[in-house]
Amino acid sequence: MKLIKNANILQADHTYCKMDVAYDETGIKEIKEHLEIEADEIIDANGLVLLPGLIDVHVHLREPGNEHKETIKTGTMAAAHGGFTTVMAMPNVIPYPDNVETMKAYLQKIKEDAIVNVIPYGCITKGEKSKELSDIAGLSKLGIHAFSDDGVGVASKDMMKAAMEACKKENAMIVAHTEDMDYRKPGACMHEGIRNKELGYIGIPSACEYAQMLRDLKLAKETGVKYHVCHMSAKESVQYLKEYKDMGVDCSGEVTVHHLLLNEMDVENPNHKMNPPLRGKDDQEALIQGLLDGTIDMIANDHAPHSEEEKNKGMVESPFGIVSIETAFPLLYTHFVKDTGRFTMNQLVHFMSEAPAKRFGFDKKGKLAPGYDADMILVDIDHKQTIDKEKFFSKGKNTPFDGWEVYGNIVTTIVNGTIVYKEERK
């Protein structure tokens, strides 16, 4: 048995209560004000907040195929550093996990190298080419219950409908990157709004996202499939999701940390280039309100590491994407909880742990309670630190948040009862 002593645990009324937690590799056993038990390992958490491990449903680990950007090991080390105990790995790796044989090899590599829980997505279509369905039935038998072609939209309406029908049979979820390339001109690299004109760049209109999303929502209503929208960025997307939820469609959505914290006017260099792009201030506010009113279900990262060489090619030629998994919680805690009070800590934990656990069927994750998995993090909410990309565990240093001052740094990350990250404290 292991024991955490004197931890500040968040209560439903937004207060903290000092508690002890007994746990082992099989889960949380007991939570009480004072526990006197024989323990093999004791952590004194005095002055620290204990939270359920964070869950990120949108992470790019890059391996296999692009190990110069990230590996399963470095990506999961970065996750642990950021307080994430469970991540879902997007399938745009090489070879694509669109068949049973490839997925088995992928799962084995994850088992060997990952230090946090990693649940991979299967591809919706073979090679993410929108031409032929992946082996959705076969992959489902392996325990893969969510499918995505993240990085591209499923171009064909008929193909997406067939995928939804196949997933409905397997009680699996479609997790969609919605992007209609008819709306994206060659060389487009940021939002079509105010700032792209100031900088002289070709813009990407919001319809590039919401037009295909609306197509998908109509199909989800028709087929009855579980449907989830990736990295929502446009106010119209928020409105469409609300409308279809109100109709009773089994749909959900996520928003990224960067779309909550930044907008088009913040764009300065390729570290502000991501897909979908940072949109207008009104879109940013709609995303925040969408979280608060329950339209948007959760916060994700879309952690997308690239090499410095790739990101140094300029706004037009550099790849889309930023890294964020190591800075997400401190950034959100500082801006939305500590500084502005727009979120309570309870809400932030819900958006980053409980809600993704519930939506994606992780029954024993997302809460601190006996019977739940021993996935936990200790957080120092009082210590100020400066984000330093050179201290990232990720291979990717492509962040717009370098130099930002934040609170809420992760001190210890525990996965399945084992410490996988511990801050070196002075």
Side-chain angles (χ1 to χ4, degrees):
M1 194 65 67
K2 302 176 183 181
L3 189 63
I4 297 173
K5 298 284 291 183
N6 308 310
N8 292 316
I9 294 182
L10 192 60
Q11 306 298 301
D13 63 358
H14 311 294
T15 62
Y16 294 95
C17 186
K18 190 165 281 193
M19 307 283 272
D20 295 349
V21 180
Y23 65 99
D24 63 17
E25 289 76 8
T26 66
I28 297 170
K29 301 302 178 184
E30 197 172 6
I31 302 177
K32 283 188 177 179
E33 283 192 36
H34 298 288
L35 284 173
E36 298 295 335
I37 61 170
E38 289 288 327
D40 303 318
E41 180 178 283
I42 298 175
I43 299 172
D44 184 0
N46 193 42
L48 301 176
V49 173
L50 183 69
L51 299 174
L54 307 178
I55 298 170
D56 191 350
V57 302
H58 196 138
V59 173
H60 296 272
L61 296 179
R62 302 300 190 201
E63 185 181 16
N66 281 291
E67 288 84 352
H68 69 286
K69 299 175 188 277
E70 192 79 287
T71 65
I72 291 166
K73 185 171 184 180
T74 60
T76 57
M77 287 170 61
H81 186 210
F84 289 87
T85 55
T86 298
V87 300
M88 297 187 71
M90 284 299 174
N92 51 346
V93 291
I94 302 169
Y96 289 90
D98 55 18
N99 62 84
V100 169
E101 184 179 351
T102 301
M103 182 61 81
K104 282 182 177 178
Y106 191 28
L107 289 168
Q108 181 59 35
K109 185 65 174 173
I110 289 169
K111 184 178 179 181
E112 291 170 359
D113 289 357
I115 68 163
V116 304
N117 303 301
V118 175
I119 294 98
Y121 286 96
C123 296
I124 295 174
T125 65
K126 289 185 178 180
E128 296 195 353
K129 295 185 184 302
S130 295
K131 301 293 186 185
E132 186 179 355
L133 280 187
S134 296
D135 183 4
I136 289 172
L139 292 167
S140 295
K141 288 182 175 65
L142 286 182
I144 306 302
H145 301 303
F147 293 83
S148 182
D149 272 6
D150 188 63
V152 293
V154 175
S156 161
K157 176 183 175 181
D158 290 343
M159 184 59 61
M160 180 55 96
K161 183 178 180 183
M164 287 185 175
E165 289 170 342
C167 281
K168 174 65 174 176
K169 285 182 183 177
E170 304 297 336
N171 193 30
M173 187 187 297
I174 290 283
V175 178
H177 171 126
T178 63
E179 184 175 22
D180 187 334
M181 296 301 288
D182 287 343
Y183 291 90
R184 196 173 115 188
K185 296 176 183 177
C189 59
M190 62 179 292
H191 175 59
E192 185 179 272
I194 300 169
R195 184 68 169 154
N196 75 298
K197 295 178 179 65
E198 293 178 352
L199 296 175
Y201 292 123
I202 299 170
I204 303 170
S206 295
C208 188
E209 171 181 290
Y210 70 73
Q212 194 172 94
M213 177 179 164
L214 180 58
R215 177 203 75 181
D216 285 358
L217 287 167
K218 290 176 180 177
L219 291 172
K221 182 183 179 186
E222 181 181 344
T223 61
V225 75
K226 288 185 287 189
Y227 179 78
H228 179 81
V229 189
C230 294
H231 44 48
M232 295 169 61
S233 68
K235 61 180 183 285
E236 293 90 348
S237 298
V238 181
Q239 184 58 37
Y240 285 138
L241 185 62
K242 184 179 190 307
E243 289 175 9
Y244 277 79
K245 279 191 169 187
D246 288 347
M247 293 179 201
V249 176
D250 190 354
C251 55
S252 57
E254 70 192 37
V255 61
T256 71
V257 177
H258 43 277
H259 285 107
L260 293 171
L261 288 171
L262 303 170
N263 62 63
E264 61 167 328
M265 304 310 294
D266 295 301
V267 175
E268 296 178 355
N269 58 58
N271 282 330
H272 296 92
K273 180 183 179 181
M274 65 283 293
N275 189 19
L278 299 171
R279 300 208 185 270
K281 290 182 180 179
D282 52 346
D283 297 290
Q284 181 186 16
E285 184 58 30
L287 295 167
I288 295 167
Q289 290 298 328
L291 265 178
L292 290 171
D293 69 21
T295 299
I296 301 174
D297 301 80
M298 66 195 73
I299 299 171
N301 275 301
D302 193 5
H303 173 77
H306 296 290
S307 70
E308 288 195 71
E309 181 183 359
E310 290 166 323
K311 270 296 188 179
N312 285 337
K313 291 181 178 179
M315 279 294 290
V316 176
E317 297 298 327
S318 65
F320 291 98
I322 65 167
V323 293
S324 52
I325 202 164
E326 295 176 76
T327 57
F329 185 86
L331 284 165
L332 293 170
Y333 171 77
T334 302
H335 183 77
F336 286 104
V337 180
K338 185 178 187 298
D339 290 351
T340 67
R342 296 199 73 179
F343 300 166
T344 66
M345 181 69 108
N346 297 69
Q347 286 175 312
L348 184 59
V349 172
H350 176 77
F351 298 146
M352 299 186 78
S353 188
E354 186 176 4
K358 183 178 180 181
R359 178 59 173 161
F360 283 81
F362 307 144
D363 294 338
K364 293 187 177 181
K365 299 186 186 300
K367 289 184 181 180
L368 288 179
Y372 278 72
D373 291 344
D375 292 349
M376 302 174 282
I377 57 173
L378 285 166
V379 184
D380 187 341
I381 62 172
D382 298 317
H383 176 70
K384 184 167 72 172
Q385 63 177 352
T386 301
I387 292 173
D388 181 356
K389 66 180 182 180
E390 299 306 325
K391 294 181 180 178
F392 287 175
F393 289 16
S394 171
K395 286 188 175 186
K397 314 300 177 191
N398 47 309
T399 174
F401 301 115
D402 189 45
W404 285 39
E405 291 188 337
V406 292
Y407 293 80
N409 64 298
I410 310 302
V411 175
T412 304
T413 301
I414 299 168
V415 176
N416 297 317
T418 298
I419 295 173
V420 296
Y421 167 73
K422 189 169 184 178
E423 180 186 66
E424 292 182 12
R425 310 212 85 189
K426 296 179 181 178

